[in-house]
Amino acid sequence: MDTGTTAFMLCCIIGLTLMIPGLALFYGGMVSVKSSTNMMMMTFGAVALVGVLWVLFGFSMVFGTSYGGFVGSFTEFAGMKDLMEPMTTVAGLPVSLFSIFQALFAAITVALISGAVADRMKFGAWMIFAAAWAVLVYFPVAHWVFAFDGVVTENSVGGWIANKLHAIDFAGGTAVHINAGAAALAVAIVLGKSAMFGQLRKPHNVPLTLLGAGMLWAGWYAFNGGSALAAGNSAAIVMVTTFVATCAATLAWIGVEKLKDGHVTGVGAASGAITGLVAITPACGAVTPIGAIFVGAIAGAICVYAVGFKEKLGYDDSLDVVGVHLVGGVVGTLLIGFFASEGMPNATNGLFYGGGFDQLWKQAVAAVAVMAYSFAVAFAIAFVLKKTIGIRISSEDEEKGIDTTFHRDSAYELEFA
């Protein structure tokens, strides 16, 4: 057991946990004052639910011995049995610590989807959707991407993307962002448009959104750096590329925003930062710092326009999960095929470094496979819920505000003399 790396990962887990209120604040500030509490509750509810499922069988489904490269054994590590022994390690870490690190990835991924359903989805339906999607989509896809052969036990067999396709995804561009973004698109289509769709929907508290974005940025160093699973050079490089890509994306977003709309907004700066973090997540161990600038700038410029897809195509993705996470995740995943450098931790050359198209097609296959699977299953889950218990609040409740009608817990108590 490596005590230095164990201490490093303990710190990363604290950073990841701070992403939970960070996401809640980021989303909560962007919605109406009438649904801010609900928006935050969807984050906290999803995290709590996934955490329990993870211990019961989620860890086993992700890191248990594979069934054909598709999903891990449901029972091998169910209840975390046999993994609490002090000498059970992964890369010099206690397996229990590795498990909680990965549990936070699962919980945050599910919570990301909630931004697409703001203001109009029943909280109970959201919780059922979150549980079903975690089991049917996140756990299998995380197995595809994160379960390398022999990662937990010496003879265990892992997922097909990691071990057969050999696509690069350092910290979750496919398993986290494309996965959540595709699900967000599906559930937004099934849920339907809000009463305010097509109208200017102003965030009720931009400072909250900027604060949330800042907390997410800080936590993302743990998200990406911790994925190195060691307190060493790889983690340091990953933190550098994460930082500079986020800076470049923020500048690109607000620059395009100024040219396109004539002004620079706080929400735009926050969205640009998140876009950079999303895009660099799969690429942070593959590209140089200069490559990271290109990844961030390209993603920031593209995603400004991608958030407008919802008006053109008619789906109501309230907080731009599709435009930022799906599109940003695809951009970052594909750009590995161009900007990867063998001098970086992933030790692979992309097209611009003499590697040809080999890595690019692998990245494309991984992105398309995750997107198609997540969209199809999420659509089916949401459709079944719509036809059974119902997923949409009433138009009257939407007008009054979901905070008061469902939670009896308004974000603000305002009194006027």
Coordinates of all heavy atoms in Angstrom, one line a residue, residues 111-203:
A111 N -26.4 13.0 -11.7 CA -26.9 14.4 -11.4 C -26.8 15.3 -12.5 O -27.7 16.2 -12.6 CB -26.1 14.9 -10.2
L112 N -25.8 15.2 -13.4 CA -25.7 16.1 -14.6 C -27.0 16.1 -15.4 O -27.3 17.2 -16.0 CB -24.5 15.7 -15.4 CG -23.1 15.9 -14.9 CD1 -22.1 15.3 -15.8 CD2 -22.8 17.4 -14.7
I113 N -27.6 15.0 -15.5 CA -28.8 14.9 -16.4 C -29.9 15.8 -16.0 O -30.7 16.3 -16.8 CB -29.3 13.5 -16.5 CG1 -28.2 12.5 -16.9 CG2 -30.5 13.3 -17.4 CD1 -28.5 11.0 -16.8
S114 N -30.0 16.1 -14.7 CA -31.1 16.9 -14.2 C -31.2 18.3 -14.8 O -32.3 18.9 -14.8 CB -31.0 17.0 -12.6 OG -29.8 17.7 -12.3
G115 N -30.1 18.8 -15.3 CA -30.2 20.2 -15.8 C -31.1 20.3 -17.1 O -31.6 21.3 -17.4
A116 N -31.3 19.1 -17.7 CA -32.2 19.1 -18.9 C -33.7 19.1 -18.6 O -34.5 19.4 -19.5 CB -31.9 17.9 -19.8
V117 N -34.0 18.9 -17.3 CA -35.5 18.7 -17.0 C -35.9 19.7 -15.9 O -37.0 19.6 -15.3 CB -35.7 17.3 -16.4 CG1 -35.3 16.2 -17.5 CG2 -35.0 17.0 -15.1
A118 N -35.2 20.8 -15.8 CA -35.5 21.8 -14.8 C -36.9 22.4 -15.0 O -37.4 22.5 -16.1 CB -34.4 23.0 -14.9
D119 N -37.5 22.7 -13.8 CA -38.8 23.4 -13.7 C -40.0 22.5 -14.0 O -41.1 23.0 -13.8 CB -38.8 24.6 -14.7 CG -37.7 25.6 -14.5 OD1 -37.4 25.9 -13.3 OD2 -37.2 26.1 -15.5
R120 N -39.8 21.3 -14.5 CA -41.1 20.6 -14.9 C -41.1 19.1 -14.7 O -42.1 18.5 -15.1 CB -41.2 20.9 -16.4 CG -40.2 20.4 -17.3 CD -40.2 21.0 -18.7 NE -39.3 20.4 -19.7 CZ -38.0 20.5 -19.8 NH1 -37.4 21.3 -18.9 NH2 -37.4 19.9 -20.7
M121 N -40.1 18.5 -14.1 CA -40.2 17.0 -13.9 C -40.5 16.7 -12.4 O -40.0 17.4 -11.5 CB -38.9 16.4 -14.3 CG -38.9 14.9 -14.2 SD -37.4 14.1 -14.9 CE -37.8 12.4 -14.9
K122 N -41.4 15.8 -12.2 CA -41.8 15.4 -10.9 C -40.5 14.8 -10.2 O -39.7 14.1 -10.8 CB -42.8 14.3 -10.9 CG -44.2 14.7 -11.4 CD -45.1 13.5 -11.4 CE -46.5 13.9 -11.9 NZ -47.4 12.7 -12.0
F123 N -40.4 15.2 -8.9 CA -39.2 14.8 -8.2 C -39.2 13.3 -8.0 O -38.1 12.6 -8.2 CB -39.1 15.5 -6.8 CG -37.9 15.2 -6.1 CD1 -36.7 15.7 -6.4 CD2 -37.9 14.3 -5.0 CE1 -35.5 15.4 -5.7 CE2 -36.7 14.0 -4.3 CZ -35.5 14.6 -4.6
G124 N -40.3 12.7 -7.7 CA -40.3 11.2 -7.6 C -40.0 10.5 -8.9 O -39.2 9.5 -8.9
A125 N -40.5 11.0 -10.0 CA -40.2 10.4 -11.3 C -38.7 10.6 -11.6 O -38.1 9.7 -12.2 CB -41.0 11.1 -12.4
W126 N -38.1 11.7 -11.2 CA -36.7 11.9 -11.4 C -35.9 10.9 -10.7 O -34.9 10.3 -11.2 CB -36.3 13.3 -11.0 CG -34.8 13.5 -10.7 CD1 -34.2 13.7 -9.5 CD2 -33.7 13.4 -11.7 NE1 -32.8 13.7 -9.6 CE2 -32.5 13.5 -11.0 CE3 -33.7 13.2 -13.0 CZ2 -31.3 13.5 -11.6 CZ3 -32.4 13.1 -13.7 CH2 -31.3 13.3 -12.9
M127 N -36.3 10.6 -9.4 CA -35.5 9.6 -8.6 C -35.6 8.2 -9.2 O -34.6 7.5 -9.2 CB -36.0 9.7 -7.2 CG -35.7 11.0 -6.4 SD -34.0 11.2 -6.1 CE -33.7 10.2 -4.7
I128 N -36.8 7.9 -9.7 CA -36.9 6.5 -10.3 C -36.1 6.5 -11.6 O -35.3 5.5 -11.9 CB -38.4 6.2 -10.6 CG1 -39.2 6.1 -9.3 CG2 -38.5 4.9 -11.4 CD1 -40.7 6.0 -9.5
F129 N -36.1 7.6 -12.4 CA -35.3 7.6 -13.6 C -33.8 7.5 -13.3 O -33.1 6.8 -13.9 CB -35.6 8.9 -14.4 CG -34.7 9.1 -15.6 CD1 -35.1 8.5 -16.8 CD2 -33.5 9.8 -15.5 CE1 -34.2 8.7 -17.9 CE2 -32.7 9.9 -16.6 CZ -33.0 9.3 -17.8
A130 N -33.4 8.2 -12.3 CA -32.0 8.3 -11.9 C -31.5 6.8 -11.5 O -30.4 6.4 -11.9 CB -31.7 9.2 -10.7
A131 N -32.3 6.1 -10.7 CA -32.0 4.8 -10.3 C -31.9 3.8 -11.5 O -30.9 3.1 -11.7 CB -32.9 4.3 -9.3
A132 N -32.9 3.9 -12.4 CA -33.0 3.0 -13.5 C -31.8 3.3 -14.5 O -31.2 2.4 -15.0 CB -34.3 3.1 -14.2
W133 N -31.5 4.6 -14.7 CA -30.5 4.9 -15.7 C -29.1 4.5 -15.1 O -28.2 4.0 -15.9 CB -30.5 6.4 -16.0 CG -29.6 6.8 -17.1 CD1 -29.9 6.7 -18.4 CD2 -28.3 7.3 -17.0 NE1 -28.8 7.2 -19.2 CE2 -27.8 7.5 -18.3 CE3 -27.5 7.6 -15.9 CZ2 -26.5 8.1 -18.5 CZ3 -26.2 8.1 -16.1 CH2 -25.7 8.3 -17.4
A134 N -28.9 4.7 -13.8 CA -27.6 4.3 -13.2 C -27.4 2.8 -13.4 O -26.3 2.4 -13.8 CB -27.6 4.7 -11.7
V135 N -28.4 2.0 -13.2 CA -28.2 0.6 -13.3 C -28.1 0.1 -14.7 O -27.3 -0.8 -15.0 CB -29.4 -0.2 -12.6 CG1 -29.4 -1.7 -12.8 CG2 -29.4 0.2 -11.1
L136 N -29.0 0.6 -15.6 CA -29.1 0.1 -16.9 C -28.1 0.8 -17.9 O -27.8 0.2 -18.9 CB -30.5 0.3 -17.5 CG -31.6 -0.5 -16.8 CD1 -33.0 -0.2 -17.4 CD2 -31.3 -2.0 -16.8
V137 N -27.6 2.0 -17.6 CA -26.7 2.7 -18.5 C -25.4 3.0 -17.8 O -24.3 2.6 -18.3 CB -27.4 4.0 -19.0 CG1 -26.4 4.7 -20.0 CG2 -28.7 3.7 -19.7
Y138 N -25.4 3.8 -16.7 CA -24.0 4.2 -16.3 C -23.2 3.0 -15.9 O -22.0 3.0 -16.3 CB -24.2 5.2 -15.1 CG -22.8 5.6 -14.7 CD1 -22.1 6.6 -15.4 CD2 -22.1 4.9 -13.6 CE1 -20.8 6.9 -15.1 CE2 -20.7 5.2 -13.3 CZ -20.1 6.3 -14.0 OH -18.8 6.6 -13.8
F139 N -23.7 2.1 -15.1 CA -22.8 1.0 -14.6 C -22.3 0.2 -15.8 O -21.1 -0.1 -15.8 CB -23.6 0.1 -13.6 CG -24.0 0.8 -12.3 CD1 -25.0 0.2 -11.6 CD2 -23.4 1.9 -11.9 CE1 -25.4 0.9 -10.4 CE2 -23.7 2.5 -10.7 CZ -24.8 2.0 -10.0
P140 N -23.1 -0.2 -16.8 CA -22.5 -0.9 -17.9 C -21.5 -0.1 -18.7 O -20.4 -0.6 -19.1 CB -23.7 -1.3 -18.8 CG -24.8 -1.3 -17.8 CD -24.5 -0.2 -16.8
V141 N -21.8 1.2 -19.0 CA -20.9 2.0 -19.8 C -19.6 2.3 -19.0 O -18.5 2.3 -19.6 CB -21.6 3.3 -20.2 CG1 -20.6 4.3 -20.8 CG2 -22.7 3.1 -21.2
A142 N -19.7 2.5 -17.7 CA -18.5 2.7 -16.9 C -17.6 1.4 -17.0 O -16.4 1.5 -17.0 CB -18.8 3.0 -15.5
H143 N -18.2 0.3 -17.1 CA -17.5 -1.0 -17.2 C -16.8 -1.0 -18.6 O -15.6 -1.4 -18.6 CB -18.5 -2.2 -17.1 CG -17.8 -3.5 -17.3 ND1 -17.0 -4.1 -16.3 CD2 -17.8 -4.4 -18.3 CE1 -16.6 -5.3 -16.7 NE2 -17.0 -5.4 -18.0
W144 N -17.5 -0.6 -19.6 CA -16.8 -0.5 -20.9 C -15.5 0.3 -20.9 O -14.5 -0.1 -21.5 CB -17.7 0.1 -22.0 CG -19.1 -0.5 -22.2 CD1 -19.6 -1.6 -21.7 CD2 -20.1 0.0 -23.0 NE1 -20.9 -1.9 -22.1 CE2 -21.2 -0.9 -22.9 CE3 -20.2 1.2 -23.9 CZ2 -22.4 -0.6 -23.7 CZ3 -21.4 1.4 -24.6 CH2 -22.4 0.5 -24.5
V145 N -15.6 1.4 -20.2 CA -14.6 2.5 -20.3 C -13.5 2.4 -19.2 O -12.3 2.5 -19.5 CB -15.2 3.9 -20.3 CG1 -14.2 5.0 -20.3 CG2 -16.2 4.0 -21.5
F146 N -13.9 2.1 -18.0 CA -13.0 2.2 -16.9 C -12.4 0.8 -16.4 O -11.5 0.8 -15.6 CB -13.7 2.9 -15.7 CG -14.0 4.3 -15.9 CD1 -15.2 4.9 -15.4 CD2 -13.1 5.2 -16.6 CE1 -15.5 6.2 -15.7 CE2 -13.5 6.5 -16.9 CZ -14.6 7.0 -16.4
A147 N -13.1 -0.3 -16.7 CA -12.7 -1.6 -16.2 C -11.6 -2.2 -17.1 O -11.9 -3.0 -18.0 CB -13.9 -2.5 -16.1
F148 N -10.4 -1.9 -16.8 CA -9.3 -2.5 -17.5 C -9.0 -3.9 -16.9 O -9.3 -4.2 -15.7 CB -8.0 -1.7 -17.3 CG -8.0 -0.4 -18.0 CD1 -8.5 0.8 -17.4 CD2 -7.6 -0.3 -19.3 CE1 -8.6 2.0 -18.1 CE2 -7.6 0.9 -20.0 CZ -8.1 2.0 -19.4
D149 N -8.6 -4.8 -17.7 CA -8.3 -6.2 -17.3 C -7.4 -6.2 -16.1 O -6.4 -5.5 -16.0 CB -7.6 -7.0 -18.4 CG -8.5 -7.2 -19.6 OD1 -9.7 -7.1 -19.5 OD2 -8.0 -7.6 -20.7
G150 N -7.8 -6.9 -15.1 CA -7.0 -7.1 -13.9 C -7.0 -5.9 -12.9 O -6.1 -5.8 -12.0
V151 N -7.9 -5.0 -13.1 CA -7.9 -3.8 -12.3 C -8.2 -4.0 -10.8 O -7.5 -3.4 -9.9 CB -8.9 -2.7 -12.8 CG1 -10.3 -3.1 -12.7 CG2 -8.6 -1.3 -12.2
V152 N -9.1 -4.9 -10.5 CA -9.4 -5.2 -9.1 C -8.8 -6.5 -8.6 O -8.1 -6.6 -7.6 CB -10.9 -5.2 -8.8 CG1 -11.2 -5.6 -7.4 CG2 -11.4 -3.8 -9.1
T153 N -9.0 -7.6 -9.4 CA -8.4 -8.8 -9.1 C -7.5 -9.2 -10.3 O -7.7 -8.8 -11.4 CB -9.4 -10.0 -8.9 OG1 -10.2 -10.1 -10.1 CG2 -10.4 -9.6 -7.8
E154 N -6.5 -10.0 -10.0 CA -5.4 -10.2 -11.0 C -5.9 -10.8 -12.3 O -5.5 -10.5 -13.4 CB -4.4 -11.2 -10.4 CG -3.2 -11.4 -11.3 CD -2.1 -12.3 -10.6 OE1 -2.2 -12.5 -9.4 OE2 -1.2 -12.8 -11.3
N155 N -7.0 -11.7 -12.2 CA -7.5 -12.4 -13.4 C -8.8 -11.8 -13.9 O -9.4 -12.4 -14.8 CB -7.6 -13.9 -13.1 CG -6.3 -14.5 -12.7 OD1 -5.3 -14.3 -13.3 ND2 -6.4 -15.3 -11.6
S156 N -9.2 -10.7 -13.4 CA -10.5 -10.2 -13.9 C -10.4 -9.6 -15.3 O -9.4 -9.1 -15.7 CB -11.0 -9.0 -12.9 OG -10.1 -7.9 -13.0
V157 N -11.5 -9.8 -16.0 CA -11.6 -9.3 -17.4 C -12.5 -8.1 -17.4 O -13.6 -8.1 -16.8 CB -12.2 -10.4 -18.3 CG1 -12.3 -9.9 -19.8 CG2 -11.2 -11.6 -18.3
G158 N -12.1 -7.0 -18.2 CA -12.9 -5.8 -18.1 C -13.7 -5.5 -19.4 O -14.0 -6.4 -20.2
G159 N -13.9 -4.2 -19.6 CA -14.9 -3.8 -20.6 C -14.2 -3.7 -22.0 O -13.0 -3.5 -22.2
W160 N -15.1 -3.6 -23.0 CA -14.6 -3.7 -24.4 C -14.0 -2.4 -24.9 O -13.0 -2.5 -25.7 CB -15.8 -4.1 -25.4 CG -16.8 -3.1 -25.6 CD1 -17.9 -2.9 -24.8 CD2 -16.9 -2.1 -26.6 NE1 -18.7 -1.8 -25.3 CE2 -18.1 -1.4 -26.4 CE3 -16.1 -1.8 -27.7 CZ2 -18.5 -0.3 -27.3 CZ3 -16.5 -0.8 -28.6 CH2 -17.7 -0.1 -28.4
I161 N -14.4 -1.3 -24.5 CA -13.7 0.0 -25.0 C -12.3 0.1 -24.4 O -11.4 0.5 -25.1 CB -14.6 1.2 -24.6 CG1 -15.9 1.3 -25.5 CG2 -13.8 2.5 -24.7 CD1 -16.8 2.4 -25.2
A162 N -12.2 -0.2 -23.1 CA -10.8 -0.1 -22.5 C -9.9 -1.2 -23.0 O -8.7 -0.9 -23.2 CB -11.0 -0.3 -21.0
N163 N -10.3 -2.4 -23.3 CA -9.4 -3.5 -23.5 C -9.4 -4.1 -24.9 O -8.4 -4.7 -25.3 CB -9.8 -4.7 -22.5 CG -9.7 -4.2 -21.1 OD1 -8.6 -4.0 -20.6 ND2 -10.8 -4.1 -20.4
K164 N -10.5 -3.8 -25.7 CA -10.5 -4.3 -27.1 C -10.3 -3.1 -28.1 O -9.5 -3.2 -29.0 CB -11.8 -5.0 -27.3 CG -12.1 -6.2 -26.5 CD -11.2 -7.4 -26.9 CE -11.6 -8.7 -26.3 NZ -11.9 -8.7 -24.9
L165 N -11.1 -2.1 -27.9 CA -11.0 -1.0 -28.8 C -9.8 -0.1 -28.5 O -9.2 0.5 -29.5 CB -12.3 -0.1 -28.7 CG -12.4 1.1 -29.6 CD1 -12.5 0.7 -31.0 CD2 -13.7 1.9 -29.2
H166 N -9.5 0.1 -27.3 CA -8.3 0.9 -26.8 C -8.5 2.4 -27.2 O -7.6 3.1 -27.5 CB -7.0 0.4 -27.4 CG -6.7 -1.0 -27.1 ND1 -6.4 -1.4 -25.8 CD2 -6.6 -2.2 -27.8 CE1 -6.1 -2.7 -25.7 NE2 -6.3 -3.2 -26.9
A167 N -9.8 2.8 -27.1 CA -10.0 4.3 -27.1 C -9.5 4.9 -25.8 O -9.5 4.3 -24.8 CB -11.5 4.6 -27.3
I168 N -9.1 6.2 -25.9 CA -8.5 6.9 -24.8 C -9.6 7.7 -24.1 O -10.3 8.5 -24.8 CB -7.4 7.8 -25.2 CG1 -6.2 7.0 -25.7 CG2 -7.0 8.7 -24.1 CD1 -5.0 7.8 -26.3
D169 N -9.8 7.5 -22.9 CA -10.8 8.3 -22.1 C -10.2 8.4 -20.7 O -10.5 7.6 -19.8 CB -12.2 7.7 -22.1 CG -13.2 8.7 -21.4 OD1 -12.8 9.7 -20.8 OD2 -14.4 8.4 -21.5
F170 N -9.4 9.4 -20.4 CA -8.6 9.5 -19.2 C -9.5 9.5 -18.0 O -9.3 8.9 -17.0 CB -7.6 10.6 -19.2 CG -6.6 10.5 -18.1 CD1 -5.4 9.9 -18.4 CD2 -6.7 11.1 -16.9 CE1 -4.4 9.8 -17.4 CE2 -5.8 11.0 -15.9 CZ -4.6 10.3 -16.2
A171 N -10.6 10.4 -18.0 CA -11.4 10.6 -16.8 C -12.9 10.6 -17.1 O -13.6 11.0 -16.2 CB -10.9 11.8 -16.1
G172 N -13.3 10.3 -18.3 CA -14.8 10.2 -18.4 C -15.5 11.0 -19.5 O -16.6 11.3 -19.3
G173 N -14.8 11.3 -20.6 CA -15.5 12.1 -21.6 C -16.6 11.3 -22.2 O -17.7 11.8 -22.5
T174 N -16.4 9.9 -22.4 CA -17.5 9.1 -22.9 C -18.4 8.6 -21.7 O -19.6 8.8 -21.8 CB -16.9 7.9 -23.6 OG1 -16.0 7.2 -22.7 CG2 -16.3 8.2 -24.9
A175 N -17.8 8.0 -20.7 CA -18.6 7.4 -19.6 C -19.4 8.5 -18.8 O -20.5 8.2 -18.3 CB -17.7 6.6 -18.7
V176 N -18.9 9.7 -18.7 CA -19.5 10.7 -17.9 C -20.3 11.7 -18.8 O -21.5 11.8 -18.8 CB -18.5 11.5 -17.1 CG1 -19.2 12.6 -16.3 CG2 -17.8 10.5 -16.1
H177 N -19.6 12.4 -19.7 CA -20.2 13.6 -20.3 C -21.1 13.2 -21.6 O -22.2 13.7 -21.7 CB -19.2 14.6 -20.7 CG -18.5 15.1 -19.5 ND1 -19.1 15.8 -18.5 CD2 -17.2 14.9 -19.0 CE1 -18.3 16.1 -17.5 NE2 -17.1 15.5 -17.8
I178 N -20.6 12.4 -22.5 CA -21.4 11.9 -23.6 C -22.5 11.1 -23.1 O -23.7 11.3 -23.5 CB -20.5 11.1 -24.6 CG1 -19.5 12.1 -25.3 CG2 -21.4 10.5 -25.7 CD1 -18.5 11.3 -26.2
N179 N -22.3 10.3 -22.1 CA -23.3 9.4 -21.5 C -24.4 10.3 -20.9 O -25.6 10.1 -21.2 CB -22.6 8.6 -20.4 CG -23.3 7.3 -20.1 OD1 -24.3 6.9 -20.8 ND2 -22.8 6.6 -19.1
A180 N -24.1 11.2 -20.1 CA -25.1 12.1 -19.4 C -25.8 13.0 -20.5 O -27.0 13.2 -20.4 CB -24.5 12.9 -18.3
G181 N -25.0 13.5 -21.4 CA -25.6 14.4 -22.4 C -26.6 13.7 -23.3 O -27.7 14.3 -23.6
A182 N -26.3 12.5 -23.7 CA -27.2 11.8 -24.6 C -28.5 11.4 -23.8 O -29.6 11.5 -24.4 CB -26.6 10.5 -25.1
A183 N -28.4 11.1 -22.5 CA -29.6 10.8 -21.7 C -30.4 12.0 -21.5 O -31.6 12.0 -21.5 CB -29.1 10.2 -20.4
A184 N -29.7 13.2 -21.3 CA -30.4 14.4 -21.2 C -31.3 14.8 -22.4 O -32.4 15.2 -22.3 CB -29.4 15.6 -20.9
L185 N -30.7 14.5 -23.6 CA -31.5 14.8 -24.8 C -32.7 13.9 -24.9 O -33.8 14.3 -25.2 CB -30.6 14.5 -26.0 CG -31.2 14.6 -27.4 CD1 -31.8 16.0 -27.6 CD2 -30.2 14.3 -28.5
A186 N -32.5 12.6 -24.5 CA -33.6 11.7 -24.6 C -34.8 12.1 -23.6 O -35.9 12.1 -24.0 CB -33.2 10.3 -24.3
V187 N -34.4 12.3 -22.4 CA -35.5 12.6 -21.4 C -36.1 14.0 -21.7 O -37.3 14.2 -21.4 CB -34.9 12.5 -20.0 CG1 -34.0 13.7 -19.6 CG2 -36.0 12.4 -18.9
A188 N -35.4 14.9 -22.2 CA -35.9 16.2 -22.6 C -37.0 16.1 -23.7 O -38.0 16.8 -23.7 CB -34.8 17.2 -23.0
I189 N -36.7 15.2 -24.6 CA -37.7 15.0 -25.7 C -39.0 14.3 -25.2 O -40.1 14.8 -25.5 CB -37.0 14.1 -26.8 CG1 -35.9 14.8 -27.5 CG2 -38.1 13.6 -27.8 CD1 -35.1 14.0 -28.5
V190 N -38.8 13.3 -24.3 CA -40.0 12.7 -23.8 C -40.8 13.6 -22.9 O -42.0 13.6 -22.9 CB -39.5 11.4 -23.0 CG1 -40.8 10.8 -22.3 CG2 -38.9 10.4 -23.9
L191 N -40.1 14.4 -22.1 CA -40.7 15.3 -21.1 C -41.5 16.4 -21.8 O -42.6 16.8 -21.3 CB -39.7 15.9 -20.2 CG -40.1 16.6 -19.0 CD1 -41.0 15.8 -18.0 CD2 -38.9 17.2 -18.2
G192 N -41.0 16.9 -22.9 CA -41.6 18.0 -23.6 C -41.2 19.4 -23.1 O -40.4 19.5 -22.2
K193 N -41.6 20.4 -23.8 CA -41.2 21.7 -23.6 C -41.8 22.4 -22.4 O -43.0 22.1 -22.1 CB -41.5 22.6 -24.8 CG -40.9 22.0 -26.1 CD -41.4 22.8 -27.3 CE -41.0 22.1 -28.6 NZ -41.6 22.8 -29.8
S194 N -41.1 23.2 -21.7 CA -41.7 24.0 -20.6 C -42.5 25.1 -21.2 O -42.5 25.4 -22.4 CB -40.6 24.5 -19.7 OG -39.9 25.6 -20.4
A195 N -43.3 25.7 -20.3 CA -44.2 26.8 -20.7 C -43.3 28.0 -21.2 O -43.8 28.8 -22.0 CB -45.1 27.2 -19.6
M196 N -42.1 28.1 -20.8 CA -41.2 29.2 -21.1 C -40.3 29.0 -22.3 O -39.5 29.8 -22.7 CB -40.4 29.6 -19.9 CG -41.1 30.1 -18.7 SD -41.9 31.8 -19.1 CE -40.4 32.8 -19.2
F197 N -40.5 27.8 -22.9 CA -39.6 27.5 -24.0 C -39.7 28.5 -25.2 O -40.8 28.9 -25.6 CB -39.9 26.1 -24.6 CG -39.0 25.6 -25.7 CD1 -37.7 25.2 -25.4 CD2 -39.4 25.6 -27.0 CE1 -36.9 24.8 -26.4 CE2 -38.6 25.2 -28.0 CZ -37.3 24.8 -27.7
G198 N -38.6 28.9 -25.7 CA -38.6 29.9 -26.8 C -38.6 31.4 -26.3 O -38.4 32.3 -27.1
Q199 N -38.8 31.6 -25.0 CA -38.8 32.9 -24.4 C -37.5 33.1 -23.6 O -36.7 32.1 -23.3 CB -39.9 33.1 -23.4 CG -41.3 32.8 -24.0 CD -42.4 32.9 -23.0 OE1 -42.4 33.8 -22.1 NE2 -43.4 32.1 -23.0
L200 N -37.1 34.3 -23.4 CA -35.9 34.6 -22.6 C -36.1 34.2 -21.2 O -36.9 34.7 -20.5 CB -35.6 36.1 -22.7 CG -34.3 36.5 -22.0 CD1 -33.1 35.9 -22.5 CD2 -34.2 38.1 -22.0
R201 N -35.3 33.2 -20.8 CA -35.4 32.7 -19.4 C -34.1 33.2 -18.6 O -33.1 32.6 -18.8 CB -35.5 31.2 -19.4 CG -36.8 30.7 -19.9 CD -37.1 29.2 -19.7 NE -36.3 28.4 -20.6 CZ -36.5 27.1 -20.7 NH1 -37.4 26.5 -20.0 NH2 -35.8 26.4 -21.6
K202 N -34.3 34.2 -17.8 CA -33.1 34.7 -17.1 C -32.8 33.9 -15.9 O -33.7 33.5 -15.2 CB -33.4 36.2 -16.7 CG -33.5 37.1 -17.9 CD -33.6 38.6 -17.4 CE -33.7 39.5 -18.6 NZ -33.8 40.9 -18.1
P203 N -31.5 33.6 -15.6 CA -31.2 33.0 -14.4 C -31.5 33.9 -13.2 O -31.4 35.1 -13.3 CB -29.6 32.8 -14.5 CG -29.2 33.8 -15.5 CD -30.4 34.0 -16.5

